[in-house]
C-alpha cells in the first residue's frame, strides 16, 4: 500500500511538472486590415504576456514580414496587408526563438545583452 501511495505521489508530481510547461499559451493575435495596412489590435497585450520590449517584437515582425511597422498607442501598424494566420505563425516563431527556454521550454526567460537567460533552469542562449 505504501508503495502504491508513493507511486501515486510520483505520478502526481510528474503531472504537476508538465502542467508548468504547458501552462504558457501563445497569445492569439487580433488584427484587421484597413486599406493597405494591417493593424494588430492587441499588440500591447501580447507584449505584456511575452514580457518582451515592444521594439524587440516590432523589429522581429518587420524583418519577417518585410514591411515597415509603427506603433499607434497600444496597436501595431504594419505597412502591408498580412493575413491573421501569417501573423499568428510569425508570433509562434518569435515565442519559439525568443521566449521559450531552449533547454527546459519554460517561458520565464529574460534577454540581456542579446542573450536569453532562463530564470527557471539558468540556461543561457546567445541570440542570433
Ligand atoms: Zn530553462
Amino acid at each position: 500500500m505504501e508503495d502504491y501511495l508513493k507511486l501515486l505521489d510520483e505520478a502526481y508530481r510528474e503531472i504537476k511538472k508538465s502542467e508548468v510547461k504547458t501552462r504558457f499559451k501563445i497569445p492569439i493575435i487580433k488584427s484587421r486590415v484597413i486599406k493597405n495596412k494591417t493593424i494588430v489590435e492587441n499588440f500591447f497585450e501580447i507584449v505584456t504576456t511575452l514580457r518582451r520590449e515592444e521594439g524587440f517584437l516590432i523589429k522581429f515582425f518587420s524583418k519577417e514580414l518585410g514591411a515597415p511597422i509603427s506603433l499607434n498607442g497600444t496597436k501595431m501598424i504594419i505597412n502591408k496587408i498580412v493575413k491573421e494566420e501569417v501573423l499568428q505563425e510569425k508570433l509562434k516563431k518569435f515565442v519559439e526563438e525568443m521566449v521559450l527556454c531552449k533547454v527546459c521550454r519554460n517561458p520565464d526567460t529574460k534577454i540581456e545583452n542579446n542573450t536569453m537567460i532562463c530564470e527557471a533552469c539558468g540556461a543561457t542562449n546567445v541570440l542570433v
Side-chain angles (χ1 to χ4, degrees), residues 60-69 78-80:
F60 179 87
F61 271 97
S62 182
K63 202 176 135 201
E64 287 287 325
L65 301 168
I69 291 174
I78 308 161
N79 233 318
K80 190 182 185 178

Side-chain angles (χ1 to χ4, degrees), residues 6 13-15 18-19 27-28 37 41 46 48-49 75-76 82 89 95 114 124:
K6 219 175 115 189
R13 245 181 280 163
E14 278 304 311
I15 291 166
S18 59
E19 250 177 319
I28 304 295
K37 290 183 169 72
E41 303 276 0
I46 292 165
T48 311
T49 308
K75 295 167 189 172
M76 179 169 85
V82 190
E89 231 168 77
V95 169
N114 216 37
T124 55

Side-chain angles (χ1 to χ4, degrees), residues 39-89:
I39 296 151
V40 176
E41 303 276 0
N42 59 337
F43 182 66
F44 185 71
E45 197 186 306
I46 292 165
V47 167
T48 311
T49 308
L50 300 182
R51 294 169 58 212
R52 288 294 175 266
E53 279 170 36
E54 290 169 345
F56 206 72
L57 255 107
I58 288 171
K59 211 174 119 189
F60 179 87
F61 271 97
S62 182
K63 202 176 135 201
E64 287 287 325
L65 301 168
I69 291 174
S70 59
L71 260 187
N72 186 351
T74 57
K75 295 167 189 172
M76 179 169 85
I77 320 283
I78 308 161
N79 233 318
K80 190 182 185 178
I81 296 171
V82 190
K83 279 187 190 166
E84 207 167 56
E85 302 95 80
V86 175
L87 288 173
Q88 196 61 52
E89 231 168 77

